[in-house]
Amino acid sequence: MEMLRIEGGTPLAGEVRASGAKNATLPVLAASLLLDEPLIIENVPHLEDVTTSNVLLAHMGVGVTMYDNMALAVDASTIVRCEAPYDLVKTMRASILVLGPLLARRGHADVSLPGGCAIGSRPVDIHLAGLEAMGAEITVEGGIIKARAGRLTGTRFAMESVTVTGTENLMMAATLADGDTVLENAAREPEVVDLAQCLVAMGAEIQGAGTSTIRIRGKSRLHGARHRVLPDRIETGTFLAAAVATKGIVTVSQTDPALLEATAEKLAATGARIESGSDWIRVDASAQRPRAVNIRTSPYPGFATDMQAQFCVIAAVANGTSSVTETVFENRFMHAAELERMGAMIRPEGNTLVITGQPTLTGAPVMATDLRASVSLVIAGIAASGTTDVRRVYHIDRGYECVEEKMAQLGAQIQRLPDKQPVGSTVAS
Ligand code: EPZ
């Protein structure tokens, strides 16, 4: 086990590069299973979740070649088993994304049912209902989703709640179905649009990605392609939120400001000065303590749930009282108790945290629980006075490329150390 030790009190200053988006890379890797030819993926982030995906693909017999310029070539022509076993799925829930492509291309798939995780029960019932609507026969035996289908049939399917990976799974499956598919109440996230662009490059026919209604005309086969993953809007927002929490000045380059308008709006509401260009965005929060802001998460284009924990840190040191309401997941406040250990004044009211800003936080040993909660504790440690040890740092490595190097590049006093303390079970988010 490892931990991050942080000596706080340093306003962050400088420039970092955004990596490719984790939540776009994972579905694009799964899309390679629709092909018998190589898919070349560029701007791939160096993350634990990508490594786990590559291990899963290799387990299936899929060829994965890594190049030194953050590019991967994935060739599913050598696939020998259509399964995703529990020991891999439990470390990365997004493994469920192989279900749709395997069923569409190979007619069968055995995928471990992803259990719940730290932030919620995370069901996949909508994924399964959509595939059944396309003609799949699905049973769940011993925690394994067993799916069988001849050629899937295009259908109209309304998702009862907005699900990002559900939309992605069904969109991928529909690209090889017989006939047209209409997905209603589809997720509008930029990562869904990025996947659609990759599928179109592979020869798929897709209209409406990025809107609530996506139309897919099924094809008999798709072909190899090259796709560059879009920048990570959550990583970008995370570094900008860190600038506000530490009253610093941070520029994120090689990103796309248009992907994080809701976040930028809330960053500006704290009183920070925001500037941006075509592929960069800068936050200057050096003039004053952040103002309190109210946050309510919702599916894109609303305020991202993946930015909620980071804004709790801003609220913890803001001038005034903020409310932070989480509407997407049922248990995404575990960072609150850890922030309270650092002196944050937080009162839970159902799915809302009422946070009364304090002039400063105080460093303490804290425990990471899920990906975004973990990075919020790093930000809090940098903003606080004194020393903070963030334990179970493996959570962060799943979704942030070289987080301590990038934070150190911005002036943070941060180092990765072995953590000799006994820790409990590990459950992915
Ligand atoms: C994706 O998760 C992201 N992961 C999450 O990012 C992100 O927080 C989430 O979307 C919301 O934006 C990836 O893209 C790999 P959902 P996903 O299905 O698709 C309910 C991170 O930190 N639901 O949109 O699993 C579900 O319970 C991660 O990078 C069903 O009820 O989330 C939740 O309440 C964390 N039935 C809501 O929908 C289903 O079949 C949204 O979940 C599917 C989902």
Side-chain angles (χ1 to χ4, degrees):
M1 288 286 180
E2 295 180 309
M3 67 177 176
L4 292 177
R5 173 157 291 169
I6 301 154
E7 298 302 334
T10 313
L12 293 177
E15 179 173 320
V16 287
R17 174 185 68 79
S19 303
K22 166 178 85 81
N23 290 350
T25 302
L26 300 180
V28 164
L29 281 167
S32 66
L33 297 168
L34 293 164
L35 300 175
D36 283 317
E37 299 173 5
L39 175 65
I40 311 294
I41 310 169
E42 298 174 337
N43 198 31
V44 175
H46 179 61
L47 299 172
E48 281 303 306
D49 273 8
V50 173
T51 303
T52 303
S53 297
N54 293 341
V55 169
L56 173 58
L57 291 170
H59 170 83
M60 295 177 188
V62 173
V64 180
T65 309
M66 281 182 237
Y67 299 102
D68 55 9
N69 57 348
M70 296 182 288
L72 288 180
V74 189
D75 183 352
S77 62
T78 55
I79 199 167
V80 292
R81 58 177 78 87
C82 296
E83 63 173 36
Y86 178 60
D87 61 341
L88 286 172
V89 174
K90 80 175 185 313
T91 57
M92 189 192 64
R93 310 180 32 71
S95 308
I96 190 70
L97 284 165
V98 305
L99 179 60
L102 283 175
L103 202 49
R105 181 75 192 80
R106 311 286 164 179
H108 63 98
D110 291 347
V111 175
S112 173
L113 196 59
C117 73
I119 63 179
S121 60
R122 308 293 293 279
V124 291
D125 55 314
I126 298 173
H127 299 238
L128 304 186
L131 292 171
E132 285 176 328
M134 292 185 195
E137 288 176 19
I138 295 179
T139 57
V140 178
E141 298 161 26
I144 304 288
I145 300 164
K146 294 185 174 297
R148 301 292 179 269
R151 188 179 182 191
L152 293 173
T153 306
T155 186
R156 173 181 292 273
F157 182 71
M159 288 173 271
E160 64 184 54
S161 60
V162 175
T163 160
V164 174
T165 49
T167 300
E168 291 165 344
N169 232 337
L170 298 179
M171 183 165 69
M172 287 190 282
T175 60
L176 290 179
D178 180 13
D180 293 353
T181 294
V182 179
L183 299 177
E184 292 177 348
N185 197 26
R188 300 169 55 189
E189 271 68 4
E191 293 74 29
V192 173
V193 176
D194 200 61
L195 172 63
Q197 286 167 352
C198 175
L199 293 169
V200 167
M202 291 159 50
E205 199 171 320
I206 299 173
Q207 307 290 334
T211 74
S212 301
T213 302
I214 302 178
R215 299 174 192 283
I216 305 106
R217 172 150 296 175
K219 302 282 186 174
S220 54
R221 71 187 302 275
L222 300 177
H223 54 73
R226 177 182 293 268
H227 177 74
R228 180 177 180 79
V229 168
L230 87 172
D232 195 316
R233 62 191 168 98
I234 303 300
E235 185 201 24
T236 300
T238 298
F239 283 109
L240 299 177
V244 174
T246 62
K247 293 191 285 188
I249 306 177
V250 169
T251 302
V252 180
S253 60
Q254 298 187 40
T255 188
D256 179 355
L259 299 176
L260 57 154
E261 287 178 354
T263 298
E265 190 182 309
K266 289 296 180 182
L267 290 168
T270 67
R273 205 154 65 84
I274 315 271
E275 293 174 85
S276 63
S278 59
D279 66 350
W280 61 271
I281 182 167
R282 178 180 303 121
V283 162
D284 179 348
S286 57
Q288 85 253 342
R289 193 173 157 197
R291 287 199 294 263
V293 291
N294 295 329
I295 300 291
R296 180 182 181 85
T297 68
S298 62
Y300 196 89
F303 187 89
T305 175
D306 293 347
M307 284 300 307
Q308 178 255 108
Q310 298 90 315
F311 266 75
C312 284
V313 182
I314 293 174
V317 295
N319 191 358
T321 298
S322 308
S323 72
V324 178
T325 301
E326 174 59 59
T327 71
V328 177
F329 290 111
E330 65 266 31
N331 187 35
R332 203 169 196 177
F333 284 152
M334 279 166 302
H335 45 285
E338 299 306 301
L339 290 174
E340 285 180 303
R341 289 172 49 74
M342 300 175 72
M345 297 291 283
I346 301 176
R347 189 178 75 250
E349 289 182 359
N351 67 338
T352 294
L353 296 179
V354 178
I355 304 175
T356 303
Q358 303 300 303
T360 184
L361 299 175
T362 308
V366 289
M367 186 76 77
T369 49
D370 69 87
L371 171 54
R372 308 303 174 181
S374 313
V375 83
S376 75
L377 297 175
V378 170
I379 295 171
I382 298 169
S385 59
T387 304
T388 297
D389 286 347
V390 180
R391 301 176 54 199
R392 294 187 180 177
V393 79
Y394 57 83
H395 286 293
I396 299 181
D397 294 335
R398 289 189 47 207
Y400 287 90
E401 187 177 50
C402 312
V403 66
E404 73 265 28
E405 281 90 342
K406 290 191 177 182
M407 288 294 189
Q409 207 175 307
L410 296 173
Q413 306 297 315
I414 184 170
Q415 55 178 328
R416 186 179 289 250
L417 299 171
D419 183 357
K420 301 184 176 57
Q421 305 283 336
V423 286
S425 63
T426 57
V427 174
S429 64

